Amino acid sequence: MSTGELAKAFLAVEPTMAQRLVRAKRKIVEAGIPYRVPPAIHLARTLVRLMRSRWDHALIAEGVATLEEALAMWRSRPYQVQAAIAACHTTVYAELARLAPSPVVDLDRAVAIAMAEGISAGLALVDELAESGRPDGYYLLPATPADLLHRKGHLTEAAAAYEEALELAPTDAERRYLKARVHSL
């Protein structure tokens, strides 16, 4: 992945990302760590372990127990469970936005709200985010409403938003995915 692609993925400008990479490489050398890129699967497992090590496992267990207790009180049907999941997602994303605000979290929250409260509600949040200019040039900003508009049946608007996202997508894999979405309309 190029420095420019990394910068776009982290919503940073290329010179800033280049400086971060230089500092990281210097720290690796100073620490005497062998400089090699681990296999992708090893890297992914390491990242997951690092993220999970910061979780509050007691609080998670309490939440799971509360959810299991609530589910036992009512007769579950598939749509009820899907609605409960969507409602949980909106609550969790609201808390994540409070703790670690970022345009990426805001977009994820908009999708969760679209699934729980309706696509129009999610699109309204995406519009607010776009108007704020915070994730300017970020390809998922137009890709998110493209998907929501597609789900709503507004195919012409969805295609235009996918095309905009395609212009901003930083990697070939993301461009291939977006082209496939456009062609699926």
Side-chain angles (χ1 to χ4, degrees):
M1 193 173 238
S2 73
T3 302
E5 291 171 334
L6 281 170
K8 285 184 179 182
F10 284 93
L11 300 178
V13 293
E14 193 167 341
T16 300
M17 183 55 65
Q19 187 60 40
R20 288 178 183 168
L21 292 171
V22 167
R23 282 195 303 266
K25 288 177 183 178
R26 186 180 320 121
K27 285 182 178 182
I28 289 169
V29 169
E30 289 171 359
I33 299 169
Y35 189 73
R36 67 186 190 297
V37 178
I41 190 70
H42 175 71
L43 183 59
R45 287 181 183 149
T46 302
L47 287 172
V48 168
R49 277 198 301 273
L50 285 172
M51 288 186 287
R52 287 184 179 165
S53 70
R54 295 180 179 200
W55 292 357
D56 183 335
H57 295 284
L59 195 55
I60 291 170
E62 181 183 334
V64 168
T66 301
L67 181 59
E68 287 173 349
E69 186 179 311
L71 288 173
M73 290 183 191
W74 51 285
R75 202 165 167 196
S76 297
R77 301 258 192 266
Y79 292 120
Q80 291 170 317
V81 174
Q82 288 172 353
I85 291 168
C88 287
H89 281 164
T90 61
T91 303
V92 171
Y93 275 115
E95 182 64 9
L96 183 57
R98 188 184 70 75
L99 294 171
S102 82
V104 175
V105 171
D106 290 341
L107 278 174
D108 290 342
R109 183 170 168 258
V111 172
I113 286 174
M115 298 303 111
E117 299 175 19
I119 290 179
S120 296
L123 285 169
L125 283 176
V126 173
D127 287 344
E128 287 176 23
L129 187 59
E131 289 171 12
S132 77
R134 284 188 13 218
D136 192 37
Y138 184 48
Y139 82 102
L140 289 178
L141 185 60
T144 301
D147 182 67
L148 296 176
L149 289 163
H150 183 195
R151 290 171 188 255
K152 198 171 182 178
H154 296 208
L155 303 184
T156 303
E157 293 172 87
Y162 277 129
E163 291 290 347
E164 183 182 348
L166 192 55
E167 293 293 320
L168 298 170
T171 67
D172 288 338
E174 289 156 334
R175 283 188 288 276
R176 281 192 304 274
Y177 172 77
L178 291 167
K179 283 180 186 174
R181 297 297 291 171
V182 170
H183 293 300
S184 74
L185 298 176

